[in-house]
Amino acid sequence: MTPDESLAPARARLWAWVALACALGAVAVLLAVSGPGGLVVLAIGLAGLAVAAAGTWWALSHHGAVRVAGALLVLCAPAAVLVFYARAGLWLPALTAVALWGASMACARSALRSVRRPEGMSATACGLPRHPVLIMNPRSGGGKVDRFGLAEKAETLGARVVMLDTTVETDVAAIARRAVTEGADLLGVVGGDGTQAQVAEVAAEHDLPFLVISAGTRNHFAMDLGLDREDPSHCLEALTDGEELRVDLGAVGGHTFVNTVSFGVYAQIVQRPDYRDAKAGATLEALPELLLGYSGHPLDARADGVRLHAQQAILISNNPYADAGRTATGGHRPRLDRGTLGVVGVHVGNAAEAAELALRGSSASELTVLTSSQITVDSDEASIPVAVDGEALHMPTPVHCSIRPGALRVLVPRNRPGTPASRPSLDWRETVALALGRRRPSPTTENR
């Protein structure tokens, strides 16, 4: 045990005590305000948050004047709260309480992170490929292939590079299969997550190692593998100094996915012809009809005995995300080898429910979060839009999703940045137990 590891329990307990002290300090500040001022600070702050959440709902779910009014509420509600605090002479205790509460949550998460640290995926030693084939999309990530000299560097390391012709529609899976028949002992790809999934499926079919090069726009899969997303050329180091991870693959309607499958609102937006060129505009234009039910159809789902009824959106991930609320907006998966799907269902029908979701987060009744080995999504339509790793498809109902544990061998560099630290959900009872020495930190593990 290193000196740093031996100090971990004491540090975790210290962070827990600091978290509790800051939380009590925030309460003490509110109680110290003369008269009912402390309760006013809290009530006005919560009311401002609820009004802003309602404004967000109106801005997203309506067109025209209602959308403008909603946007104004989003901007004006926080400003009105601040003005009220200033005029009532409550801004100082309010600011102090907010700062203490923020510090309390940060310290509590630091303490809990040490006792909930996820065990990293186990890597194994492997032989180096002799005939690697890398498929590259020159337009991926805004031209990262040229910017980082990926083709030249790969060829220097002994790989054969197949450059895609982006002026025509190309069957990437067919190219990968042809490479296998020609003797490839590794398949790799420079492209978005959808392209990664197509080549990964071929690699899994033939039990060949798969190389991920993080040159896409978002690179969710690369991030969760711990790869360098700033300089994708570092991923090529796996060809000379690599190791293997066994990871799961998701399956939906005969297609493979490495990240997520989306049904409902997002899936319908992806289908729009203007989505690729103007994502924000296309989304704002389509959301009102989708959220209010003027187009699209509610979704029902069954997952290991749990039923989800009349959902507006269902997101299914290859292994659960650490923060379910951020599944589609930048969250991460601590592991890709748990053999389970993450499931998030959303149903928001009005401004009040939108406000509840904003105030309560993942504990709100409008959000259903669970894990399952398989899930079936159904609708009263014969076929529904589905977004598979961001690619727009239509599938006949019911649509079945499942997980293929350990289906893919991924070759990764021995040295890689690693995934970001998990942001654990707050549990004050666990924080108190940790402060009192009743909860011991688990041993740390490496990501390789």
Side-chain angles (χ1 to χ4, degrees):
M1 178 182 292
T2 66
D4 193 60
E5 288 175 334
S6 65
L7 292 175
R11 288 176 178 171
R13 189 175 183 184
L14 176 61
W15 280 121
W17 273 115
V18 174
L20 295 179
C22 290
L24 292 174
V27 174
V29 168
L30 295 179
L31 293 177
V33 177
S34 59
L39 293 178
V40 171
V41 168
L42 181 61
I44 294 298
L46 291 177
L49 180 59
V51 171
T56 301
W57 168 258
W58 286 322
L60 294 177
S61 62
H62 293 78
H63 292 292
V66 177
R67 169 170 285 179
V68 173
L72 289 175
L73 281 179
V74 174
L75 296 174
C76 294
V81 170
L82 294 177
V83 169
F84 177 86
Y85 285 162
R87 298 193 65 176
L90 298 173
W91 66 270
L92 183 57
L95 184 62
T96 303
V98 168
L100 285 171
W101 186 250
S104 174
M105 292 191 295
C107 293
R109 286 197 170 98
S110 294
L112 295 175
R113 187 176 292 118
S114 65
V115 297
R116 296 180 183 175
R117 183 171 292 143
E119 180 184 344
M121 293 182 285
S122 298
T124 59
C126 62
L128 298 179
R130 296 184 177 182
H131 306 289
V133 175
L134 306 183
I135 302 170
M136 297 191 178
N137 180 348
R139 296 179 58 185
S140 182
K144 288 183 179 179
V145 170
D146 287 337
R147 196 182 319 152
F148 291 93
L150 297 180
E152 294 79 8
K153 291 177 180 178
E155 290 172 342
T156 300
L157 295 173
R160 179 164 72 90
V161 174
V162 178
M163 198 69 66
L164 297 178
D165 183 354
T166 58
T167 63
V168 297
E169 186 172 347
T170 305
D171 189 340
V172 179
I175 294 175
R177 290 191 174 91
R178 184 163 59 249
V180 174
T181 62
E182 294 172 352
D185 60 357
L186 174 141
L187 294 174
V189 62
V190 174
D193 291 319
T195 305
Q196 298 273 4
Q198 294 181 57
V199 180
E201 181 177 7
V202 177
E205 286 176 4
H206 298 275
D207 195 31
L208 293 178
F210 177 63
L211 178 63
V212 177
I213 304 172
S214 56
T217 302
R218 295 186 178 178
N219 299 296
H220 286 304
F221 192 44
M223 178 183 72
D224 295 333
L225 290 170
L227 301 177
D228 189 339
R229 296 190 297 162
E230 299 299 322
D231 186 350
S233 66
H234 289 166
C235 300
L236 296 171
E237 295 172 5
L239 295 174
T240 56
D241 185 24
E243 56 189 5
E244 278 191 12
L245 299 172
R246 274 280 183 180
V247 305
D248 308 332
L249 287 176
V252 54
H255 295 266
T256 292
F257 64 95
V258 295
N259 290 324
T260 59
V261 174
S262 303
F263 301 85
V265 173
Y266 175 70
Q268 287 203 238
I269 291 172
V270 172
Q271 307 288 326
R272 293 173 62 94
D274 54 344
Y275 175 73
R276 295 297 175 188
D277 296 326
K279 293 184 178 181
T283 300
L284 286 175
E285 182 65 25
L287 272 176
E289 284 70 26
L290 295 172
L291 292 175
L292 296 179
Y294 301 140
S295 65
H297 295 263
L299 302 167
D300 296 325
R302 300 187 307 277
D304 290 348
V306 178
R307 289 185 175 272
L308 287 73
H309 178 65
Q311 302 293 291
Q312 290 160 312
I314 298 176
L315 289 87
I316 300 170
S317 58
N318 171 21
N319 282 263
Y321 278 75
D323 185 345
R326 300 181 65 205
T327 297
T329 58
H332 80 281
R333 294 163 292 179
R335 296 186 62 160
L336 295 170
D337 61 351
R338 296 187 183 278
T340 186
L341 298 169
V343 180
V344 178
V346 182
H347 177 84
V348 178
N350 52 50
E353 292 179 355
E356 181 188 0
L357 183 60
L359 291 171
R360 299 185 59 195
S362 59
S363 62
S365 59
E366 291 76 21
L367 194 69
T368 302
V369 180
L370 53 92
T371 59
S372 176
S373 59
Q374 58 183 352
I375 181 171
T376 300
V377 179
D378 207 350
S379 171
D380 57 6
E381 286 287 283
S383 67
I384 55 175
V386 184
V388 181
D389 281 334
E391 301 297 321
L393 300 172
H394 263 83
M395 294 184 181
T397 55
V399 181
H400 301 283
C401 300
S402 60
I403 192 84
R404 298 164 57 193
L408 184 65
R409 298 164 56 192
V410 182
L411 184 68
V412 294
R414 196 174 301 275
N415 295 312
R416 53 194 186 275
T419 57
S422 175
R423 184 174 183 268
S425 57
L426 284 177
D427 186 328
W428 289 107
R429 287 182 298 180
E430 189 175 359
T431 302
V432 171
L434 182 59
L436 297 177
R438 299 172 183 171
R439 177 72 157 85
R440 304 295 293 177
S442 60
T444 62
T445 49
E446 296 292 333
N447 276 343
R448 54 181 185 270

